Amino acid sequence: MQIKLKTNLLAAVLFCFAFVVQAQQKKDITLEDIYRDGTFRAESVYGVNWMKDGQYYTSQVPDEKNKVYDIVKYNVTTGQPVSTIIEGENLIPAGGNAPIQFDDYTFSSDEQKVLFATESEQIYRRSSKADFYIYDIPTKKLTKLSDGGKQLYASFSPDAKRVAFARENDMFVVDLSNMQETQITADGKFNSIINGYADWVYEEEFGFAKGFDWSPDGKKIAFYTFDEANVPEFNMQMWGELYPQDNKFKYPKAGEANSAVKVSVYDVASGKTVKMDTGNEADIYIPRIKWTNNPNLLSIQKMNRLQNTLEILHANATTGKADVVLKETDKAYIDITDDLTYLNDGKYFIHSSEKDGFNHLYLYNMNGKLVRQITNGKWEVSSYVGYDEKNDRLYYMSTEVSPLDRHLYSISSKGKNKKRLTEKAGTHRVNMSNDFKYYLDYYSAANVPPTVSLHTAKDGKLIKMLEDNQALKNKLAQYDIAEQEFFTMNTADGTKLNGWMIKPTDFDPNKKYPVLMFVYGGPGSQTVTNSWGGNNYLWYQTLADKGVMVVSVDNRGTGARGAEFKKVTYANLGKYEIEDQIEAAKWLGNQPYVDKDRIGIWGHSFGGYMTLLGLTKGDGIFRAGISVAPVTNWRFYDSIYTERYLKTPQENAAGYDQNSPLSFADQLQGDLLLIHGTGDDNVHFQNAVAMQDALIDADKQFESFYYPNRNHGIYGGNTYMHRFKMMTNFLERKLINPEETSVNQ
């Protein structure tokens, strides 16, 4: 008995020793892991195209042998490949000797033809041009769409007989029976008239680049025309050549002239174009057009310049005559969504609105009379997925469980039989099949890498896990990971704010640690969500290894908590947001494990703006800050975004200047690192230059760095590695092991 006890004791000791050794052997994440080697890159399911028969979908699959991609058909219920629809090595154009390397593909409605995009060139955030090819599946013939130059947004007609596209500011259509190309417009001109695609500000702020849409019967094309002749021109220099090259484009800053916009309909058979009547007001926006299920009735959404009035018009595509069927106003502003859906019966449409204080779905008849509110409650419909008319089921994503989560629900058009279809706490994003039988669930949560799974739509039942990222989970288990934890705090006026924190890896509640706050804070945004944080989360792990606590708090003005919480910042952008961040920093400073003299802040874009406000209006609460690509005065930013939240500078000068970091440069306290890309077409480098001038005039010391030709994301090649190494070094010098005093204290 004594021998056995000793043996068991020895085994226990050895086990504990092995456990300690294993724990000690866990590795630290490095910047090279994240930004150079892709050590923690998550896998996903890409290029999924649902087929007409919801039993199947297609995906791009690499053919390693032939160095091409094949188009493979999969059975939804098994997740197994059924057949290879297109062999990549067969995609050889006439006169060519090698297959094309395609970037994207689209099936025609009859699934007999495929449109391939090749040699794509990015223009701005959502815009690109490419060489397109038509592949006929039965004959295996590949034909170039046009020899006139690269095309934009080539799209099949619903009857699969034609393809429309834009090129060099004009619209074209190709008859696939004989490949005859017809030019629809002839007035397109660079920096003047754009037909068929969005100008810069519509693309950036209304979220679309393609500016045309086929009628349901494929006989007409509705398209935008932007006259940007009076829009002021912005000029950026691109560096690298002996003489810098000018990049000029139309960019309407707040209060300046916008493009004059109109919508027309082209009739393919007659070749005639008719302008739609959108009223006599000139200074308007048309943020969406959409065909109803009547092939002669076009829906047009129209807004005033201040974006607090929305009208839905129904226009006769033959005559151009339009009637207002729905009008909505708001004391602040109205957000544009893609939720407008016309039912197949031609009698009703579904539209979302915040008019009861939260974003919900409503059913109207075609004359705009409200039939009923479909969803209801003090939570948000975050996105509308679609409506299965056959089974009377609407699908939508919502925040009903928590503002931090996103879940899929279904409900009848009568607002009955609501069902939650996703179970796991976290963030779900779905790709629904065209027949509403199945969906792909792209899921993640805090500290949980993404997964992709296949489900039946009627009940959410799991069919197959398509990507579990188990290899990534196994790899992360080998590293020292500090978990992201959620918390709430109350401001002085009782407003509850959501936040998360990542504590130092070897956290000891009896010690005091420096804090780095991460902020974005812009209207309707969120940084505090129950989702995988990607590279930022991994970077924060490197800081946790260095003894830094990383924290993020969603201030007033952010999303998922109703219109009142979001729109309180109207006409005073920056005021309440930075007040909340300063109060959050003070709350953190009162925690027993926080060193209140070492609280830092960083952010990108709106977060860069907030960082500058924190350092200038924070009265020294922030020891250091990193401001990346910030707006420094909203007068420098574009018309649509800025005026939505601030009105025009002519109407609300104080709202622009009283919350501009430029106005408070002389109050800068703490150490600042200011970073910007000189090729930023969105938040122009001008913002950084103006801030530097103001700081120099105020005799304030700071550090700055510019990235030549980099756009707003500041990426490409080794850029991320370089930038985050510099940011980490700055934090080590100014926050983790700071000098006795900062340069501005």
Side-chain angles (χ1 to χ4, degrees), residues 105-124:
Y105 71 99
T106 308
F107 279 92
S108 60
S109 59
D110 61 5
E111 298 180 346
Q112 297 300 297
K113 297 180 178 65
V114 179
L115 191 60
F116 287 105
T118 70
E119 303 294 332
S120 297
E121 294 180 29
Q122 195 74 22
I123 302 174
Y124 297 116

Side-chain angles (χ1 to χ4, degrees), residues 140-151:
K140 297 185 178 180
K141 182 180 180 182
L142 184 71
T143 306
K144 194 172 186 180
L145 178 62
S146 175
D147 289 319
K150 289 191 173 183
Q151 306 93 49

Side-chain angles (χ1 to χ4, degrees), residues 433-444:
S433 67
N434 299 326
D435 60 1
F436 296 98
K437 289 182 179 178
Y438 307 97
Y439 65 86
L440 296 179
D441 181 8
Y442 293 78
Y443 164 79
S444 76

Side-chain angles (χ1 to χ4, degrees), residues 333 335 523 569-573 641-647:
Y333 57 87
D335 283 317
T569 63
Y570 182 64
N572 274 304
L573 204 61
Y641 181 95
T642 309
E643 294 169 14
R644 182 185 302 154
Y645 309 119
L646 276 176
K647 306 180 184 180

